[in-house]
């Protein structure tokens, strides 16, 4: 189930960085200082890659919604 604005705003920083999964490789990375970054994990030629999409709230959940 995709993340919504309320879930993202309620996510507070912790001692260690953590991810809120949005599905299909897309997640919101929350660092220890409270920064929130959209990231997308994928594989290319058998190697794992991570694409940094942008900061929340500059990039909204609707802007990073992927469909197949």
């Amino acid at each position: 189930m995709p993340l919504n604005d309320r879930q993202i705003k309620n996510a507070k920083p912790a001692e260690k960085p953590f991810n809120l999964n949005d599905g299909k490789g897309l997640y919101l990375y929350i660092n220890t200082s409270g920064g929130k970054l959209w990231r997308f994990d994928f594989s290319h030629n058998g190697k794992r890659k991570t694409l940094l999409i942008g900061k929340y709230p500059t990039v909204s959940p609707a802007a990073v919604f992927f469909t197949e």
Side-chain angles (χ1 to χ4, degrees):
M1 177 174 228
L3 294 171
N4 61 41
D5 244 8
R6 180 179 292 172
Q7 291 170 312
I8 296 168
K9 287 178 183 176
N10 289 337
K12 303 298 179 203
E15 262 184 54
K16 294 182 180 180
F18 65 96
N19 302 332
L20 290 177
N21 286 326
D22 194 60
K24 299 182 182 178
L26 179 66
Y27 61 94
L28 190 69
Y29 176 82
I30 293 105
N31 62 30
T32 55
S33 64
K36 298 173 181 177
L37 302 168
W38 287 107
R39 292 182 173 184
F40 180 69
D41 285 344
F42 63 99
S43 63
H44 180 70
N45 293 332
K47 293 185 179 181
R48 181 179 176 256
K49 304 284 185 177
T50 300
L51 174 68
L52 175 60
I53 298 171
K55 288 184 175 183
Y56 174 86
T58 305
V59 179
S60 70
V64 294
F65 181 70
F66 292 121
T67 60
E68 286 190 70

Short mmCIF file of all heavy atoms in Angstrom, two decimals:
data_model
loop_
_atom_site.label_atom_id
_atom_site.label_comp_id
_atom_site.label_asym_id
_atom_site.label_seq_id
_atom_site.Cartn_x
_atom_site.Cartn_y
_atom_site.Cartn_z
N MET A 1 0.84 -1.18 0.00
CA MET A 1 0.00 0.00 0.00
C MET A 1 0.89 1.25 0.00
O MET A 1 1.80 1.36 0.81
CB MET A 1 -0.91 -0.03 1.23
CG MET A 1 -1.78 1.17 1.37
SD MET A 1 -2.93 0.97 2.73
CE MET A 1 -4.40 1.46 1.91
N PRO A 2 0.65 2.17 -0.91
CA PRO A 2 1.47 3.38 -0.98
C PRO A 2 1.39 4.23 0.29
O PRO A 2 0.37 4.26 0.96
CB PRO A 2 0.87 4.14 -2.16
CG PRO A 2 0.12 3.13 -2.95
CD PRO A 2 -0.32 2.10 -1.97
N LEU A 3 2.48 4.92 0.56
CA LEU A 3 2.52 5.81 1.72
C LEU A 3 1.64 7.03 1.46
O LEU A 3 1.51 7.49 0.33
CB LEU A 3 3.94 6.30 1.96
CG LEU A 3 4.95 5.26 2.39
CD1 LEU A 3 6.36 5.87 2.38
CD2 LEU A 3 4.63 4.74 3.78
N ASN A 4 1.07 7.56 2.52
CA ASN A 4 0.30 8.80 2.38
C ASN A 4 0.98 9.90 3.18
O ASN A 4 1.92 9.66 3.93
CB ASN A 4 -1.17 8.61 2.79
CG ASN A 4 -1.33 8.17 4.22
OD1 ASN A 4 -0.64 8.67 5.11
ND2 ASN A 4 -2.25 7.26 4.46
N ASP A 5 0.52 11.12 3.00
CA ASP A 5 1.14 12.29 3.66
C ASP A 5 1.16 12.16 5.17
O ASP A 5 2.14 12.53 5.82
CB ASP A 5 0.39 13.56 3.26
CG ASP A 5 1.26 14.52 2.48
OD1 ASP A 5 2.38 14.15 2.12
OD2 ASP A 5 0.81 15.66 2.26
N ARG A 6 0.10 11.65 5.76
CA ARG A 6 0.02 11.52 7.21
C ARG A 6 1.10 10.58 7.74
O ARG A 6 1.77 10.89 8.73
CB ARG A 6 -1.36 11.03 7.64
CG ARG A 6 -1.47 10.89 9.17
CD ARG A 6 -2.81 10.42 9.59
NE ARG A 6 -3.77 11.49 9.32
CZ ARG A 6 -5.07 11.35 9.43
NH1 ARG A 6 -5.58 10.21 9.80
NH2 ARG A 6 -5.87 12.36 9.18
N GLN A 7 1.27 9.43 7.10
CA GLN A 7 2.29 8.47 7.53
C GLN A 7 3.68 9.09 7.45
O GLN A 7 4.52 8.89 8.33
CB GLN A 7 2.25 7.21 6.66
CG GLN A 7 1.03 6.36 6.85
CD GLN A 7 0.95 5.28 5.79
OE1 GLN A 7 1.11 5.54 4.61
NE2 GLN A 7 0.69 4.06 6.24
N ILE A 8 3.93 9.83 6.39
CA ILE A 8 5.24 10.45 6.20
C ILE A 8 5.49 11.54 7.24
O ILE A 8 6.56 11.60 7.85
CB ILE A 8 5.36 11.01 4.78
CG1 ILE A 8 5.29 9.86 3.77
CG2 ILE A 8 6.63 11.81 4.61
CD1 ILE A 8 5.11 10.29 2.34
N LYS A 9 4.51 12.40 7.47
CA LYS A 9 4.67 13.47 8.45
C LYS A 9 4.85 12.93 9.86
O LYS A 9 5.53 13.53 10.68
CB LYS A 9 3.48 14.42 8.40
CG LYS A 9 3.49 15.29 7.16
CD LYS A 9 2.29 16.19 7.10
CE LYS A 9 2.29 17.00 5.83
NZ LYS A 9 1.11 17.83 5.67
N ASN A 10 4.23 11.79 10.18
CA ASN A 10 4.33 11.19 11.51
C ASN A 10 5.62 10.43 11.74
O ASN A 10 5.93 10.05 12.87
CB ASN A 10 3.14 10.27 11.79
CG ASN A 10 1.86 11.05 11.98
OD1 ASN A 10 1.88 12.23 12.32
ND2 ASN A 10 0.74 10.40 11.75
N ALA A 11 6.40 10.19 10.70
CA ALA A 11 7.67 9.47 10.82
C ALA A 11 8.70 10.38 11.48
O ALA A 11 9.05 11.43 10.95
CB ALA A 11 8.15 9.00 9.46
N LYS A 12 9.15 9.98 12.64
CA LYS A 12 10.13 10.77 13.40
C LYS A 12 11.51 10.13 13.30
O LYS A 12 11.63 8.91 13.20
CB LYS A 12 9.71 10.83 14.88
CG LYS A 12 8.33 11.41 15.10
CD LYS A 12 8.24 12.84 14.63
CE LYS A 12 6.83 13.38 14.85
NZ LYS A 12 6.52 14.48 13.98
N PRO A 13 12.57 10.93 13.35
CA PRO A 13 13.93 10.37 13.28
C PRO A 13 14.21 9.46 14.47
O PRO A 13 13.63 9.62 15.55
CB PRO A 13 14.83 11.60 13.29
CG PRO A 13 14.00 12.74 13.72
CD PRO A 13 12.57 12.39 13.48
N ALA A 14 15.09 8.50 14.26
CA ALA A 14 15.49 7.55 15.29
C ALA A 14 17.01 7.58 15.41
O ALA A 14 17.69 8.34 14.73
CB ALA A 14 14.99 6.16 14.93
N GLU A 15 17.54 6.73 16.30
CA GLU A 15 18.99 6.65 16.48
C GLU A 15 19.70 6.23 15.21
O GLU A 15 20.81 6.66 14.95
CB GLU A 15 19.32 5.64 17.59
CG GLU A 15 19.58 6.27 18.91
CD GLU A 15 20.01 5.24 19.94
OE1 GLU A 15 20.97 4.50 19.68
OE2 GLU A 15 19.37 5.20 20.99
N LYS A 16 19.05 5.33 14.45
CA LYS A 16 19.61 4.85 13.19
C LYS A 16 18.67 5.22 12.05
O LYS A 16 17.46 5.26 12.24
CB LYS A 16 19.75 3.33 13.23
CG LYS A 16 20.75 2.83 14.24
CD LYS A 16 20.86 1.33 14.18
CE LYS A 16 21.87 0.82 15.18
NZ LYS A 16 21.97 -0.64 15.14
N PRO A 17 19.22 5.48 10.87
CA PRO A 17 18.36 5.75 9.72
C PRO A 17 17.47 4.54 9.42
O PRO A 17 17.85 3.40 9.68
CB PRO A 17 19.34 5.97 8.57
CG PRO A 17 20.65 6.21 9.20
CD PRO A 17 20.63 5.55 10.53
N PHE A 18 16.28 4.79 8.87
CA PHE A 18 15.38 3.70 8.52
C PHE A 18 14.58 4.04 7.28
O PHE A 18 14.59 5.19 6.82
CB PHE A 18 14.46 3.34 9.70
CG PHE A 18 13.49 4.42 10.09
CD1 PHE A 18 12.19 4.40 9.61
CD2 PHE A 18 13.86 5.45 10.95
CE1 PHE A 18 11.29 5.39 9.98
CE2 PHE A 18 12.97 6.43 11.32
CZ PHE A 18 11.67 6.41 10.83
N ASN A 19 13.90 3.03 6.72
CA ASN A 19 13.12 3.19 5.50
C ASN A 19 11.65 2.96 5.77
O ASN A 19 11.28 2.11 6.57
CB ASN A 19 13.55 2.16 4.45
CG ASN A 19 15.00 2.25 4.09
OD1 ASN A 19 15.60 3.31 4.18
ND2 ASN A 19 15.58 1.14 3.69
N LEU A 20 10.80 3.70 5.07
CA LEU A 20 9.37 3.44 5.01
C LEU A 20 9.09 2.96 3.58
O LEU A 20 9.23 3.73 2.63
CB LEU A 20 8.55 4.70 5.29
CG LEU A 20 8.56 5.26 6.70
CD1 LEU A 20 7.74 6.55 6.76
CD2 LEU A 20 7.99 4.25 7.67
N ASN A 21 8.75 1.69 3.44
CA ASN A 21 8.52 1.12 2.11
C ASN A 21 7.22 1.60 1.51
O ASN A 21 6.20 1.66 2.17
CB ASN A 21 8.51 -0.41 2.19
CG ASN A 21 9.90 -0.96 2.36
OD1 ASN A 21 10.86 -0.41 1.85
ND2 ASN A 21 10.01 -2.05 3.08
N ASP A 22 7.30 1.93 0.23
CA ASP A 22 6.13 2.33 -0.53
C ASP A 22 5.73 1.24 -1.52
O ASP A 22 4.63 1.24 -2.02
CB ASP A 22 6.42 3.63 -1.29
CG ASP A 22 5.17 4.28 -1.81
OD1 ASP A 22 4.30 4.63 -0.99
OD2 ASP A 22 5.07 4.45 -3.03
N GLY A 23 6.63 0.31 -1.77
CA GLY A 23 6.35 -0.81 -2.66
C GLY A 23 7.17 -0.77 -3.93
O GLY A 23 7.55 0.29 -4.41
N LYS A 24 7.46 -1.96 -4.47
CA LYS A 24 8.15 -2.14 -5.75
C LYS A 24 9.49 -1.42 -5.82
O LYS A 24 9.87 -0.87 -6.86
CB LYS A 24 7.25 -1.71 -6.90
CG LYS A 24 5.98 -2.53 -6.98
CD LYS A 24 5.13 -2.12 -8.13
CE LYS A 24 3.86 -2.95 -8.12
NZ LYS A 24 2.95 -2.58 -9.18
N GLY A 25 10.22 -1.40 -4.71
CA GLY A 25 11.55 -0.79 -4.68
C GLY A 25 11.59 0.67 -4.27
O GLY A 25 12.65 1.22 -4.02
N LEU A 26 10.45 1.31 -4.19
CA LEU A 26 10.38 2.72 -3.80
C LEU A 26 10.25 2.82 -2.29
O LEU A 26 9.47 2.08 -1.68
CB LEU A 26 9.18 3.40 -4.47
CG LEU A 26 8.96 4.87 -4.16
CD1 LEU A 26 10.10 5.72 -4.70
CD2 LEU A 26 7.63 5.33 -4.73
N TYR A 27 11.02 3.71 -1.67
CA TYR A 27 10.92 3.91 -0.23
C TYR A 27 11.34 5.32 0.15
O TYR A 27 11.97 6.03 -0.62
CB TYR A 27 11.75 2.87 0.53
CG TYR A 27 13.24 2.89 0.23
CD1 TYR A 27 14.12 3.61 1.03
CD2 TYR A 27 13.77 2.17 -0.82
CE1 TYR A 27 15.48 3.62 0.78
CE2 TYR A 27 15.12 2.16 -1.09
CZ TYR A 27 15.97 2.89 -0.29
OH TYR A 27 17.32 2.90 -0.55
N LEU A 28 10.94 5.70 1.35
CA LEU A 28 11.32 6.98 1.92
C LEU A 28 12.38 6.70 2.98
O LEU A 28 12.14 5.95 3.92
CB LEU A 28 10.11 7.67 2.54
CG LEU A 28 10.31 9.11 2.95
CD1 LEU A 28 10.46 10.01 1.71
CD2 LEU A 28 9.15 9.61 3.78
N TYR A 29 13.55 7.26 2.80
CA TYR A 29 14.68 7.09 3.72
C TYR A 29 14.64 8.23 4.73
O TYR A 29 14.64 9.40 4.34
CB TYR A 29 15.98 7.11 2.92
CG TYR A 29 17.24 7.04 3.74
CD1 TYR A 29 17.73 5.84 4.19
CD2 TYR A 29 17.95 8.20 4.05
CE1 TYR A 29 18.90 5.77 4.92
CE2 TYR A 29 19.11 8.15 4.78
CZ TYR A 29 19.58 6.93 5.21
OH TYR A 29 20.74 6.87 5.95
N ILE A 30 14.57 7.89 6.01
CA ILE A 30 14.56 8.91 7.07
C ILE A 30 15.89 8.83 7.81
O ILE A 30 16.22 7.80 8.41
CB ILE A 30 13.38 8.71 8.05
CG1 ILE A 30 12.06 8.97 7.33
CG2 ILE A 30 13.47 9.68 9.21
CD1 ILE A 30 11.30 7.79 7.00
N ASN A 31 16.68 9.91 7.74
CA ASN A 31 17.98 9.88 8.40
C ASN A 31 17.87 10.37 9.85
O ASN A 31 16.80 10.79 10.30
CB ASN A 31 19.03 10.66 7.61
CG ASN A 31 18.71 12.12 7.44
OD1 ASN A 31 18.07 12.72 8.28
ND2 ASN A 31 19.17 12.70 6.34
N THR A 32 18.95 10.31 10.59
CA THR A 32 18.94 10.61 12.02
C THR A 32 18.63 12.07 12.33
O THR A 32 18.17 12.39 13.41
CB THR A 32 20.28 10.23 12.66
OG1 THR A 32 21.33 10.89 11.97
CG2 THR A 32 20.50 8.73 12.62
N SER A 33 18.86 12.96 11.38
CA SER A 33 18.58 14.38 11.62
C SER A 33 17.15 14.75 11.22
O SER A 33 16.74 15.89 11.39
CB SER A 33 19.57 15.25 10.86
OG SER A 33 19.42 15.06 9.47
N GLY A 34 16.39 13.77 10.68
CA GLY A 34 15.01 14.02 10.32
C GLY A 34 14.77 14.29 8.85
O GLY A 34 13.64 14.48 8.42
N GLY A 35 15.83 14.29 8.04
CA GLY A 35 15.68 14.47 6.60
C GLY A 35 14.96 13.28 5.98
O GLY A 35 15.17 12.14 6.40
N LYS A 36 14.13 13.54 4.99
CA LYS A 36 13.35 12.48 4.34
C LYS A 36 13.62 12.53 2.84
O LYS A 36 13.39 13.55 2.19
CB LYS A 36 11.86 12.68 4.63
CG LYS A 36 11.56 12.58 6.11
CD LYS A 36 10.12 12.92 6.44
CE LYS A 36 9.92 12.82 7.96
NZ LYS A 36 8.59 13.20 8.36
N LEU A 37 14.14 11.40 2.32
CA LEU A 37 14.53 11.33 0.92
C LEU A 37 13.84 10.17 0.22
O LEU A 37 13.83 9.05 0.74
CB LEU A 37 16.05 11.12 0.80
CG LEU A 37 16.94 12.16 1.46
CD1 LEU A 37 18.37 11.65 1.51
CD2 LEU A 37 16.87 13.46 0.69
N TRP A 38 13.30 10.43 -0.96
CA TRP A 38 12.72 9.37 -1.77
C TRP A 38 13.85 8.65 -2.49
O TRP A 38 14.71 9.28 -3.11
CB TRP A 38 11.76 9.93 -2.81
CG TRP A 38 10.48 10.41 -2.24
CD1 TRP A 38 10.08 11.70 -2.08
CD2 TRP A 38 9.40 9.60 -1.75
NE1 TRP A 38 8.83 11.75 -1.53
CE2 TRP A 38 8.38 10.46 -1.31
CE3 TRP A 38 9.19 8.23 -1.64
CZ2 TRP A 38 7.19 10.02 -0.78
CZ3 TRP A 38 8.00 7.77 -1.10
CH2 TRP A 38 7.01 8.66 -0.69
N ARG A 39 13.85 7.30 -2.42
CA ARG A 39 14.84 6.49 -3.10
C ARG A 39 14.14 5.32 -3.81
O ARG A 39 13.08 4.90 -3.40
CB ARG A 39 15.86 5.92 -2.11
CG ARG A 39 16.76 6.97 -1.51
CD ARG A 39 17.75 6.33 -0.60
NE ARG A 39 18.74 7.29 -0.13
CZ ARG A 39 19.77 6.97 0.62
NH1 ARG A 39 19.97 5.73 0.99
NH2 ARG A 39 20.62 7.89 1.01
N PHE A 40 14.79 4.83 -4.84
CA PHE A 40 14.26 3.70 -5.59
C PHE A 40 15.38 2.71 -5.84
O PHE A 40 16.42 3.08 -6.40
CB PHE A 40 13.68 4.19 -6.93
CG PHE A 40 13.12 3.11 -7.78
CD1 PHE A 40 11.97 2.43 -7.41
CD2 PHE A 40 13.74 2.75 -8.97
CE1 PHE A 40 11.45 1.42 -8.20
CE2 PHE A 40 13.23 1.76 -9.77
CZ PHE A 40 12.08 1.08 -9.39
N ASP A 41 15.20 1.46 -5.40
CA ASP A 41 16.17 0.39 -5.61
C ASP A 41 15.78 -0.43 -6.83
O ASP A 41 14.61 -0.77 -7.00
CB ASP A 41 16.25 -0.53 -4.39
CG ASP A 41 16.99 0.09 -3.23
OD1 ASP A 41 17.71 1.09 -3.44
OD2 ASP A 41 16.87 -0.43 -2.11
N PHE A 42 16.77 -0.73 -7.65
CA PHE A 42 16.53 -1.55 -8.84
C PHE A 42 17.82 -2.29 -9.17
O PHE A 42 18.86 -2.05 -8.55
CB PHE A 42 16.08 -0.68 -10.02
CG PHE A 42 17.11 0.32 -10.47
CD1 PHE A 42 17.91 0.07 -11.56
CD2 PHE A 42 17.27 1.53 -9.80
CE1 PHE A 42 18.87 0.99 -11.99
CE2 PHE A 42 18.21 2.46 -10.20
CZ PHE A 42 19.01 2.19 -11.30
N SER A 43 17.74 -3.20 -10.13
CA SER A 43 18.96 -3.89 -10.55
C SER A 43 19.19 -3.62 -12.03
O SER A 43 18.24 -3.52 -12.82
CB SER A 43 18.87 -5.39 -10.28
OG SER A 43 17.84 -5.96 -11.03
N HIS A 44 20.46 -3.50 -12.39
CA HIS A 44 20.86 -3.26 -13.77
C HIS A 44 22.09 -4.12 -14.03
O HIS A 44 23.09 -3.99 -13.30
CB HIS A 44 21.16 -1.78 -13.99
CG HIS A 44 21.59 -1.46 -15.38
ND1 HIS A 44 20.72 -1.51 -16.44
CD2 HIS A 44 22.78 -1.08 -15.88
CE1 HIS A 44 21.37 -1.19 -17.54
NE2 HIS A 44 22.62 -0.92 -17.22
N ASN A 45 22.01 -4.97 -15.03
CA ASN A 45 23.10 -5.90 -15.35
C ASN A 45 23.50 -6.72 -14.13
O ASN A 45 24.68 -6.96 -13.88
CB ASN A 45 24.32 -5.16 -15.91
CG ASN A 45 24.06 -4.56 -17.26
OD1 ASN A 45 23.23 -5.05 -18.02
ND2 ASN A 45 24.74 -3.46 -17.57
N GLY A 46 22.52 -7.11 -13.33
CA GLY A 46 22.77 -7.97 -12.17
C GLY A 46 23.32 -7.25 -10.96
O GLY A 46 23.66 -7.89 -9.97
N LYS A 47 23.43 -5.95 -11.01
CA LYS A 47 23.96 -5.19 -9.87
C LYS A 47 22.86 -4.32 -9.28
O LYS A 47 22.06 -3.71 -10.00
CB LYS A 47 25.12 -4.30 -10.29
CG LYS A 47 26.34 -5.07 -10.73
CD LYS A 47 27.49 -4.15 -11.02
CE LYS A 47 28.71 -4.96 -11.43
NZ LYS A 47 29.84 -4.10 -11.72
N ARG A 48 22.83 -4.25 -7.95
CA ARG A 48 21.84 -3.42 -7.25
C ARG A 48 22.24 -1.96 -7.36
O ARG A 48 23.40 -1.59 -7.14
CB ARG A 48 21.77 -3.83 -5.78
CG ARG A 48 20.76 -3.04 -5.00
CD ARG A 48 20.71 -3.52 -3.55
NE ARG A 48 19.81 -2.71 -2.79
CZ ARG A 48 20.19 -1.76 -1.94
NH1 ARG A 48 21.46 -1.53 -1.71
NH2 ARG A 48 19.29 -1.05 -1.28
N LYS A 49 21.26 -1.13 -7.71
CA LYS A 49 21.47 0.31 -7.83
C LYS A 49 20.40 1.03 -7.01
O LYS A 49 19.31 0.51 -6.80
CB LYS A 49 21.34 0.76 -9.29
CG LYS A 49 22.24 0.06 -10.26
CD LYS A 49 23.64 0.56 -10.13
CE LYS A 49 24.51 -0.09 -11.20
NZ LYS A 49 25.85 0.40 -11.20
N THR A 50 20.72 2.23 -6.57
CA THR A 50 19.76 3.08 -5.86
C THR A 50 19.69 4.43 -6.54
O THR A 50 20.71 5.07 -6.77
CB THR A 50 20.17 3.26 -4.38
OG1 THR A 50 20.23 1.98 -3.75
CG2 THR A 50 19.17 4.14 -3.64
N LEU A 51 18.47 4.83 -6.87
CA LEU A 51 18.23 6.12 -7.50
C LEU A 51 17.66 7.07 -6.45
O LEU A 51 16.65 6.76 -5.83
CB LEU A 51 17.24 5.96 -8.65
CG LEU A 51 16.76 7.23 -9.34
CD1 LEU A 51 17.90 7.88 -10.11
CD2 LEU A 51 15.61 6.90 -10.27
N LEU A 52 18.31 8.21 -6.26
CA LEU A 52 17.78 9.24 -5.36
C LEU A 52 16.84 10.11 -6.17
O LEU A 52 17.23 10.71 -7.17
CB LEU A 52 18.93 10.08 -4.79
CG LEU A 52 18.53 11.27 -3.93
CD1 LEU A 52 17.74 10.82 -2.72
CD2 LEU A 52 19.75 12.04 -3.51
N ILE A 53 15.58 10.16 -5.75
CA ILE A 53 14.56 10.90 -6.49
C ILE A 53 14.45 12.34 -6.01
O ILE A 53 14.35 13.26 -6.81
CB ILE A 53 13.20 10.18 -6.41
CG1 ILE A 53 13.35 8.80 -7.05
CG2 ILE A 53 12.11 10.99 -7.07
CD1 ILE A 53 12.17 7.91 -6.86
N GLY A 54 14.47 12.56 -4.69
CA GLY A 54 14.39 13.91 -4.18
C GLY A 54 13.94 13.95 -2.73
O GLY A 54 13.61 12.94 -2.14
N LYS A 55 13.95 15.15 -2.16
CA LYS A 55 13.57 15.35 -0.76
C LYS A 55 12.07 15.50 -0.62
O LYS A 55 11.40 16.05 -1.49
CB LYS A 55 14.22 16.61 -0.21
CG LYS A 55 15.67 16.52 0.03
CD LYS A 55 16.15 17.82 0.68
CE LYS A 55 17.61 17.73 1.05
NZ LYS A 55 18.06 18.93 1.74
N TYR A 56 11.56 14.99 0.50
CA TYR A 56 10.18 15.25 0.89
C TYR A 56 10.20 16.51 1.74
O TYR A 56 11.11 16.65 2.55
CB TYR A 56 9.61 14.07 1.69
CG TYR A 56 8.24 14.34 2.24
CD1 TYR A 56 7.12 14.10 1.48
CD2 TYR A 56 8.08 14.87 3.52
CE1 TYR A 56 5.87 14.36 1.98
CE2 TYR A 56 6.83 15.14 4.01
CZ TYR A 56 5.72 14.88 3.24
OH TYR A 56 4.48 15.15 3.73
N PRO A 57 9.36 17.47 1.62
CA PRO A 57 8.12 17.56 0.86
C PRO A 57 8.26 18.18 -0.52
O PRO A 57 7.27 18.32 -1.23
CB PRO A 57 7.25 18.45 1.74
CG PRO A 57 8.21 19.39 2.39
CD PRO A 57 9.47 18.58 2.59
N THR A 58 9.48 18.54 -0.96
CA THR A 58 9.66 19.10 -2.29
C THR A 58 9.10 18.15 -3.35
O THR A 58 8.43 18.59 -4.28
CB THR A 58 11.16 19.38 -2.57
OG1 THR A 58 11.66 20.22 -1.53
CG2 THR A 58 11.35 20.04 -3.91
N VAL A 59 9.39 16.86 -3.19
CA VAL A 59 8.84 15.83 -4.06
C VAL A 59 7.75 15.13 -3.28
O VAL A 59 8.02 14.47 -2.28
CB VAL A 59 9.94 14.83 -4.51
CG1 VAL A 59 9.34 13.76 -5.38
CG2 VAL A 59 11.06 15.56 -5.22
N SER A 60 6.52 15.28 -3.71
CA SER A 60 5.37 14.73 -2.98
C SER A 60 5.20 13.23 -3.27
O SER A 60 5.74 12.73 -4.26
CB SER A 60 4.09 15.46 -3.38
OG SER A 60 3.76 15.13 -4.70
N PRO A 61 4.44 12.52 -2.43
CA PRO A 61 4.18 11.10 -2.70
C PRO A 61 3.52 10.89 -4.07
O PRO A 61 3.84 9.93 -4.76
CB PRO A 61 3.24 10.68 -1.58
CG PRO A 61 3.48 11.65 -0.49
CD PRO A 61 3.87 12.93 -1.16
N ALA A 62 2.65 11.78 -4.48
CA ALA A 62 1.98 11.64 -5.78
C ALA A 62 2.97 11.77 -6.93
O ALA A 62 2.79 11.14 -7.98
CB ALA A 62 0.89 12.67 -5.90
N ALA A 63 4.03 12.54 -6.74
CA ALA A 63 4.99 12.76 -7.82
C ALA A 63 5.88 11.55 -8.06
O ALA A 63 6.43 11.39 -9.15
CB ALA A 63 5.87 13.96 -7.49
N VAL A 64 6.02 10.67 -7.07
CA VAL A 64 6.89 9.50 -7.23
C VAL A 64 6.12 8.21 -7.38
O VAL A 64 6.70 7.14 -7.40
CB VAL A 64 7.89 9.38 -6.05
CG1 VAL A 64 8.85 10.53 -6.04
CG2 VAL A 64 7.17 9.23 -4.74
N PHE A 65 4.82 8.29 -7.54
CA PHE A 65 4.00 7.10 -7.68
C PHE A 65 4.28 6.42 -9.01
O PHE A 65 4.15 7.03 -10.05
CB PHE A 65 2.51 7.44 -7.56
CG PHE A 65 1.61 6.25 -7.66
CD1 PHE A 65 1.58 5.30 -6.66
CD2 PHE A 65 0.82 6.08 -8.77
CE1 PHE A 65 0.75 4.21 -6.75
CE2 PHE A 65 -0.01 4.98 -8.89
CZ PHE A 65 -0.05 4.04 -7.88
N PHE A 66 4.71 5.14 -8.95
CA PHE A 66 5.01 4.37 -10.15
C PHE A 66 3.88 3.41 -10.46
O PHE A 66 3.28 2.84 -9.57
CB PHE A 66 6.29 3.54 -9.96
CG PHE A 66 7.54 4.36 -9.86
CD1 PHE A 66 8.33 4.28 -8.74
CD2 PHE A 66 7.90 5.21 -10.88
CE1 PHE A 66 9.49 5.03 -8.64
CE2 PHE A 66 9.06 5.97 -10.79
CZ PHE A 66 9.86 5.87 -9.67
N THR A 67 3.62 3.21 -11.73
CA THR A 67 2.67 2.18 -12.15
C THR A 67 3.37 1.27 -13.14
O THR A 67 4.35 1.64 -13.76
CB THR A 67 1.43 2.80 -12.83
OG1 THR A 67 1.85 3.54 -13.96
CG2 THR A 67 0.66 3.70 -11.89
N GLU A 68 2.84 0.07 -13.28
CA GLU A 68 3.46 -0.88 -14.21
C GLU A 68 2.89 -0.73 -15.59
O GLU A 68 1.81 -0.47 -15.86
CB GLU A 68 3.24 -2.30 -13.72
CG GLU A 68 4.14 -2.58 -12.54
CD GLU A 68 4.13 -4.03 -12.18
OE1 GLU A 68 4.67 -4.84 -12.94
OE2 GLU A 68 3.56 -4.35 -11.14
#
